[in-house]
mmCIF file of all heavy atoms in Angstrom:
data_model
loop_
_atom_site.group_PDB
_atom_site.id
_atom_site.type_symbol
_atom_site.label_atom_id
_atom_site.label_comp_id
_atom_site.label_asym_id
_atom_site.label_seq_id
_atom_site.Cartn_x
_atom_site.Cartn_y
_atom_site.Cartn_z
ATOM 1 N N VAL A 1454 -16.573 3.894 9.711
ATOM 2 C CA VAL A 1454 -15.745 4.487 10.759
ATOM 3 C C VAL A 1454 -15.864 3.686 12.052
ATOM 4 O O VAL A 1454 -14.866 3.366 12.700
ATOM 5 C CB VAL A 1454 -16.173 5.962 10.974
ATOM 6 C CG1 VAL A 1454 -15.349 6.620 12.059
ATOM 7 C CG2 VAL A 1454 -16.042 6.744 9.669
ATOM 8 N N ARG A 1455 -17.135 3.326 12.366
ATOM 9 C CA ARG A 1455 -17.363 2.583 13.616
ATOM 10 C C ARG A 1455 -16.566 1.282 13.660
ATOM 11 O O ARG A 1455 -16.170 0.823 14.728
ATOM 12 C CB ARG A 1455 -18.853 2.236 13.728
ATOM 13 C CG ARG A 1455 -19.603 3.204 14.574
ATOM 14 C CD ARG A 1455 -20.975 2.632 14.889
ATOM 15 N NE ARG A 1455 -21.965 3.677 14.777
ATOM 16 C CZ ARG A 1455 -22.990 3.659 13.946
ATOM 17 N NH1 ARG A 1455 -23.171 2.629 13.133
ATOM 18 N NH2 ARG A 1455 -23.839 4.644 13.916
ATOM 19 N N ASN A 1456 -16.389 0.695 12.491
ATOM 20 C CA ASN A 1456 -15.672 -0.582 12.433
ATOM 21 C C ASN A 1456 -14.298 -0.513 13.065
ATOM 22 O O ASN A 1456 -13.790 -1.501 13.558
ATOM 23 C CB ASN A 1456 -15.507 -1.013 10.974
ATOM 24 C CG ASN A 1456 -16.667 -1.849 10.517
ATOM 25 O OD1 ASN A 1456 -17.554 -2.134 11.295
ATOM 26 N ND2 ASN A 1456 -16.649 -2.240 9.262
ATOM 27 N N VAL A 1457 -13.664 0.640 12.998
ATOM 28 C CA VAL A 1457 -12.298 0.690 13.532
ATOM 29 C C VAL A 1457 -12.160 1.499 14.819
ATOM 30 O O VAL A 1457 -11.172 1.337 15.532
ATOM 31 C CB VAL A 1457 -11.279 1.225 12.493
ATOM 32 C CG1 VAL A 1457 -11.141 0.288 11.323
ATOM 33 C CG2 VAL A 1457 -11.586 2.618 12.028
ATOM 34 N N ILE A 1458 -13.130 2.363 15.115
ATOM 35 C CA ILE A 1458 -12.962 3.193 16.325
ATOM 36 C C ILE A 1458 -13.070 2.324 17.576
ATOM 37 O O ILE A 1458 -14.039 1.582 17.738
ATOM 38 C CB ILE A 1458 -14.010 4.317 16.363
ATOM 39 C CG1 ILE A 1458 -13.700 5.316 15.250
ATOM 40 C CG2 ILE A 1458 -14.029 5.014 17.708
ATOM 41 C CD1 ILE A 1458 -14.561 6.536 15.269
ATOM 42 N N PRO A 1459 -12.083 2.389 18.443
ATOM 43 C CA PRO A 1459 -12.176 1.556 19.649
ATOM 44 C C PRO A 1459 -13.272 2.081 20.583
ATOM 45 O O PRO A 1459 -13.463 3.296 20.677
ATOM 46 C CB PRO A 1459 -10.790 1.710 20.293
ATOM 47 C CG PRO A 1459 -10.146 2.872 19.638
ATOM 48 C CD PRO A 1459 -10.876 3.198 18.387
ATOM 49 N N PRO A 1460 -13.978 1.188 21.223
ATOM 50 C CA PRO A 1460 -15.076 1.650 22.090
ATOM 51 C C PRO A 1460 -14.539 2.430 23.293
ATOM 52 O O PRO A 1460 -13.445 2.144 23.781
ATOM 53 C CB PRO A 1460 -15.743 0.350 22.546
ATOM 54 C CG PRO A 1460 -14.747 -0.721 22.284
ATOM 55 C CD PRO A 1460 -13.823 -0.252 21.210
ATOM 56 N N LEU A 1461 -15.308 3.417 23.727
ATOM 57 C CA LEU A 1461 -14.918 4.147 24.943
ATOM 58 C C LEU A 1461 -15.360 3.315 26.134
ATOM 59 O O LEU A 1461 -16.526 2.945 26.234
ATOM 60 C CB LEU A 1461 -15.623 5.508 24.974
ATOM 61 C CG LEU A 1461 -15.054 6.579 24.041
ATOM 62 C CD1 LEU A 1461 -15.974 7.806 24.020
ATOM 63 C CD2 LEU A 1461 -13.657 6.987 24.468
ATOM 64 N N THR A 1462 -14.418 2.990 27.005
ATOM 65 C CA THR A 1462 -14.823 2.233 28.204
ATOM 66 C C THR A 1462 -13.992 2.762 29.373
ATOM 67 O O THR A 1462 -12.982 3.449 29.174
ATOM 68 C CB THR A 1462 -14.535 0.705 28.087
ATOM 69 O OG1 THR A 1462 -13.213 0.472 28.546
ATOM 70 C CG2 THR A 1462 -14.686 0.182 26.691
ATOM 71 N N LYS A 1465 -9.929 1.076 30.244
ATOM 72 C CA LYS A 1465 -8.633 1.250 29.583
ATOM 73 C C LYS A 1465 -7.700 2.148 30.382
ATOM 74 O O LYS A 1465 -8.147 2.931 31.214
ATOM 75 C CB LYS A 1465 -8.857 1.873 28.212
ATOM 76 C CG LYS A 1465 -9.433 0.911 27.221
ATOM 77 C CD LYS A 1465 -9.448 1.550 25.861
ATOM 78 C CE LYS A 1465 -10.264 0.723 24.916
ATOM 79 N NZ LYS A 1465 -10.817 1.535 23.855
ATOM 80 N N GLN A 1469 -3.729 3.639 25.607
ATOM 81 C CA GLN A 1469 -4.146 2.454 24.850
ATOM 82 C C GLN A 1469 -4.785 2.789 23.516
ATOM 83 O O GLN A 1469 -4.682 2.025 22.566
ATOM 84 C CB GLN A 1469 -5.122 1.618 25.678
ATOM 85 C CG GLN A 1469 -4.427 0.537 26.475
ATOM 86 C CD GLN A 1469 -5.421 -0.318 27.222
ATOM 87 O OE1 GLN A 1469 -6.192 0.186 28.024
ATOM 88 N NE2 GLN A 1469 -5.400 -1.605 26.958
ATOM 89 N N ASP A 1470 -5.453 3.931 23.448
ATOM 90 C CA ASP A 1470 -6.131 4.262 22.191
ATOM 91 C C ASP A 1470 -5.224 5.000 21.216
ATOM 92 O O ASP A 1470 -5.687 5.504 20.190
ATOM 93 C CB ASP A 1470 -7.416 5.054 22.462
ATOM 94 C CG ASP A 1470 -8.536 4.113 22.854
ATOM 95 O OD1 ASP A 1470 -8.377 2.901 22.630
ATOM 96 O OD2 ASP A 1470 -9.552 4.576 23.401
ATOM 97 N N GLY A 1471 -3.965 5.070 21.519
ATOM 98 C CA GLY A 1471 -3.047 5.611 20.529
ATOM 99 C C GLY A 1471 -1.986 6.533 21.104
ATOM 100 O O GLY A 1471 -2.287 7.550 21.725
ATOM 101 N N GLY A 1497 -8.714 11.363 18.534
ATOM 102 C CA GLY A 1497 -8.949 10.395 19.608
ATOM 103 C C GLY A 1497 -7.719 9.689 20.143
ATOM 104 O O GLY A 1497 -7.849 8.789 20.971
ATOM 105 N N VAL A 1680 -3.437 7.875 13.650
ATOM 106 C CA VAL A 1680 -4.300 7.259 14.668
ATOM 107 C C VAL A 1680 -5.128 6.141 14.042
ATOM 108 O O VAL A 1680 -5.237 5.036 14.592
ATOM 109 C CB VAL A 1680 -5.287 8.310 15.244
ATOM 110 C CG1 VAL A 1680 -6.055 7.728 16.416
ATOM 111 C CG2 VAL A 1680 -4.567 9.570 15.633
ATOM 112 N N LEU A 1681 -5.708 6.435 12.875
ATOM 113 C CA LEU A 1681 -6.581 5.442 12.252
ATOM 114 C C LEU A 1681 -5.819 4.167 11.885
ATOM 115 O O LEU A 1681 -6.358 3.067 11.963
ATOM 116 C CB LEU A 1681 -7.258 6.043 11.008
ATOM 117 C CG LEU A 1681 -8.357 7.055 11.354
ATOM 118 C CD1 LEU A 1681 -8.745 7.878 10.134
ATOM 119 C CD2 LEU A 1681 -9.587 6.358 11.925
ATOM 120 N N HIS A 1683 -3.396 2.881 13.523
ATOM 121 C CA HIS A 1683 -3.284 2.093 14.760
ATOM 122 C C HIS A 1683 -4.619 1.417 15.087
ATOM 123 O O HIS A 1683 -4.675 0.227 15.407
ATOM 124 C CB HIS A 1683 -2.837 3.013 15.896
ATOM 125 C CG HIS A 1683 -2.967 2.398 17.252
ATOM 126 N ND1 HIS A 1683 -2.360 1.194 17.564
ATOM 127 C CD2 HIS A 1683 -3.657 2.788 18.360
ATOM 128 C CE1 HIS A 1683 -2.663 0.886 18.828
ATOM 129 N NE2 HIS A 1683 -3.452 1.825 19.313
ATOM 130 N N TRP A 1684 -5.688 2.167 14.980
ATOM 131 C CA TRP A 1684 -7.011 1.608 15.304
ATOM 132 C C TRP A 1684 -7.374 0.468 14.361
ATOM 133 O O TRP A 1684 -7.938 -0.543 14.772
ATOM 134 C CB TRP A 1684 -8.076 2.697 15.216
ATOM 135 C CG TRP A 1684 -8.007 3.672 16.355
ATOM 136 C CD1 TRP A 1684 -7.238 3.582 17.482
ATOM 137 C CD2 TRP A 1684 -8.754 4.880 16.471
ATOM 138 N NE1 TRP A 1684 -7.447 4.668 18.286
ATOM 139 C CE2 TRP A 1684 -8.378 5.486 17.695
ATOM 140 C CE3 TRP A 1684 -9.681 5.525 15.674
ATOM 141 C CZ2 TRP A 1684 -8.913 6.695 18.124
ATOM 142 C CZ3 TRP A 1684 -10.227 6.721 16.098
ATOM 143 C CH2 TRP A 1684 -9.844 7.299 17.315
ATOM 144 N N ALA A 1685 -7.069 0.659 13.083
ATOM 145 C CA ALA A 1685 -7.422 -0.382 12.109
ATOM 146 C C ALA A 1685 -6.625 -1.646 12.407
ATOM 147 O O ALA A 1685 -7.121 -2.764 12.282
ATOM 148 C CB ALA A 1685 -7.141 0.101 10.702
ATOM 149 N N LEU A 1687 -5.577 -2.517 15.352
ATOM 150 C CA LEU A 1687 -6.191 -3.116 16.542
ATOM 151 C C LEU A 1687 -7.487 -3.843 16.183
ATOM 152 O O LEU A 1687 -7.781 -4.912 16.717
ATOM 153 C CB LEU A 1687 -6.554 -2.020 17.543
ATOM 154 C CG LEU A 1687 -5.492 -1.490 18.492
ATOM 155 C CD1 LEU A 1687 -6.131 -0.513 19.485
ATOM 156 C CD2 LEU A 1687 -4.835 -2.637 19.263
ATOM 157 N N ALA A 1688 -8.258 -3.226 15.281
ATOM 158 C CA ALA A 1688 -9.567 -3.797 14.929
ATOM 159 C C ALA A 1688 -9.410 -5.163 14.269
ATOM 160 O O ALA A 1688 -10.280 -6.018 14.375
ATOM 161 C CB ALA A 1688 -10.303 -2.848 13.989
ATOM 162 N N LYS A 1692 -12.616 -6.763 10.711
ATOM 163 C CA LYS A 1692 -13.391 -5.531 10.615
ATOM 164 C C LYS A 1692 -12.927 -4.645 9.470
ATOM 165 O O LYS A 1692 -13.535 -3.626 9.168
ATOM 166 C CB LYS A 1692 -13.309 -4.769 11.937
ATOM 167 C CG LYS A 1692 -14.075 -5.465 13.032
ATOM 168 C CD LYS A 1692 -14.248 -4.570 14.217
ATOM 169 C CE LYS A 1692 -15.171 -5.230 15.209
ATOM 170 N NZ LYS A 1692 -15.072 -4.610 16.509
#
Side-chain angles (χ1 to χ4, degrees):
V1454 180
R1455 263 193 222 120
N1456 270 358
V1457 295
I1458 291 186
L1461 284 172
T1462 88
K1465 286 188 191 153
Q1469 267 183 302
D1470 279 345
V1680 187
L1681 287 165
H1683 168 56
W1684 287 351
L1687 277 186
K1692 289 193 172 163

